[in-house]
Amino acid sequence: MDERRTGVLAICSVVAAALFWSSSYAVTKEVLAQVGPLTIGAVRFTVAAVLLGVMARVRRRTPPARPDPRRRRLIALSGLLGITVYFVLENIGVELSTASDASLIVASYPLMTMLLELAVLRIRMPPTRVGGVLLATAGAVLVVRDGAEAGGGARWFGDVLLLLGGLAWAGYNVLGTYAGRGQDALSLTYRQTVAGAAGFLLASLLEAGDWRLPDATASALLAYLAVACSVGGFLLYNYGLRRMTSSVAVNILNLVPVFGVLGAVVINGETVRLPQLLGGLIIVAGVVLGLVERRRTAPAPVRARLAARRGHSET
């Protein structure tokens, strides 16, 4: 497969993942009426792990080489960060805040990932990126401040948890990019999901006293979260993530706020305040500004690692 076609497929796969994930905030908000946030994660990712395990067993082509113990630990750690830690913070944050706040705040995640990527890979940050970081931070502060004024302390705390989730997501992206080298999307996603599901199962015991059987609608929405958002979304995202830098992959997720806010309005009947819209626009503008000159400032070693990663994926 030529490099151009591979790049197009990678972009399309991350865009498709963004479309799935954009609906998860509104769907989770509906399920939270009957199921606790930790239990949602446990059910969602346990079902996803089982489905991915079946897919891994029945695939016809030769499976990739088993990663060494150190690589397996890093993959498990990335799963705990990107699944258990991130979705605990997201689910509780959405419960305390709103789906529209979550959709807007997620637009600041690309810059968090970029900052961590730059720190780990030692890439110098040009002035445009510094300006982008500051601008996106100002937008996130505006969204959180409006949440506090409109919904009180609980909504403000929920917004803060969503921002902390962005740090966990950044760690997942950078660590997953490194640990997933030589693994195909299915193997990597399966190993990460098993680790994340195990973490969620332990955490969900805190809600054992509130467990009850959800109705048909909530059960269907849980199935959607497991199949579409977890299995489909993570497979598509990991496919793209292994073929581009993590900051580029996460930047494509700026599509999430657009569709996420629309879903919050249509599914949850939420209203979007002007400061929220303004904050979201400022965040997106900051992300765009922060990505200026990304290709020029990436050093040769980084480009070489990406080329090597693409070579592994086609063997």
Side-chain angles (χ1 to χ4, degrees):
M1 185 181 296
D2 61 78
E3 185 174 340
R4 182 175 181 180
R5 184 182 176 190
T6 300
V8 171
L9 286 176
I11 292 172
C12 290
S13 68
V14 177
V15 169
L19 292 176
F20 280 128
W21 287 342
S22 67
S23 63
S24 67
Y25 303 104
V27 172
T28 299
K29 191 71 175 179
E30 289 295 301
V31 180
L32 282 166
Q34 298 186 40
V35 184
L38 302 179
T39 305
I40 288 176
V43 173
R44 171 179 175 178
F45 289 102
T46 299
V47 172
V50 171
L51 292 175
L52 288 166
V54 171
M55 292 170 65
R57 295 281 292 182
V58 302
R59 65 179 173 184
R60 295 180 178 178
R61 68 184 187 83
T62 304
R66 182 179 175 86
D68 59 51
R70 179 175 179 274
R71 189 67 60 86
R72 290 200 298 271
R73 288 194 295 270
L74 291 176
I75 290 174
L77 179 58
S78 70
L80 289 171
L81 276 177
I83 293 178
T84 307
V85 176
Y86 171 72
F87 282 100
V88 164
L89 293 170
E90 180 194 289
N91 289 352
I92 296 176
V94 171
E95 183 178 40
L96 296 175
S97 183
T98 65
S100 54
D101 269 18
S103 298
L104 291 169
I105 290 173
V106 77
S108 65
Y109 291 2
L111 281 171
M112 297 184 192
T113 300
M114 184 187 301
L115 286 172
L116 186 58
E117 187 180 57
L118 294 176
V120 171
L121 298 178
R122 305 292 184 182
I123 303 174
R124 186 175 59 183
M125 180 180 288
T128 50
R129 288 193 191 169
V130 175
V133 170
L134 296 176
L135 189 59
T137 301
V141 168
L142 182 58
V143 172
V144 173
R145 180 179 177 182
D146 179 68
E149 293 176 352
R155 181 169 172 180
W156 174 85
F157 185 60
D159 287 349
V160 171
L161 291 180
L162 291 167
L163 286 171
L164 291 175
L167 295 177
W169 186 251
Y172 162 79
N173 278 276
V174 174
L175 187 58
T177 299
Y178 170 75
R181 273 183 259 175
Q183 296 290 300
D184 65 11
L186 178 57
S187 298
L188 176 61
T189 305
Y190 171 63
R191 294 180 186 278
Q192 290 174 326
T193 303
V194 168
F200 254 125
L201 285 170
L202 290 175
S204 68
L205 295 177
L206 297 173
E207 297 176 345
D210 299 323
W211 284 349
R212 66 180 188 275
L213 190 65
D215 63 22
T217 299
S219 298
L221 292 176
L222 271 172
Y224 173 81
L225 288 172
V227 177
C229 297
S230 294
V231 176
F234 274 90
L235 278 175
L236 290 164
Y237 186 71
N238 279 330
Y239 176 86
L241 183 62
R242 290 170 56 253
R243 291 162 175 81
M244 61 182 71
T245 61
S246 53
S247 60
V248 175
V250 181
N251 187 56
I252 296 174
L253 296 185
N254 280 317
L255 292 170
V256 170
V258 179
F259 295 104
V261 171
L262 180 61
V265 173
V266 173
I267 298 175
N268 306 123
E270 295 181 6
T271 57
V272 181
R273 290 157 57 94
L274 181 59
Q276 286 179 284
L277 288 176
L278 181 59
L281 290 174
I282 291 174
I283 291 172
V284 174
V287 171
V288 172
L289 179 62
L291 285 172
V292 172
E293 301 181 18
R294 179 194 61 80
R295 296 180 70 87
R296 267 190 294 174
T297 56
V302 175
R303 293 194 297 271
R305 283 196 291 270
L306 290 174
R309 193 189 315 155
R310 284 194 293 268
H312 278 303
S313 67
E314 295 176 10
T315 58

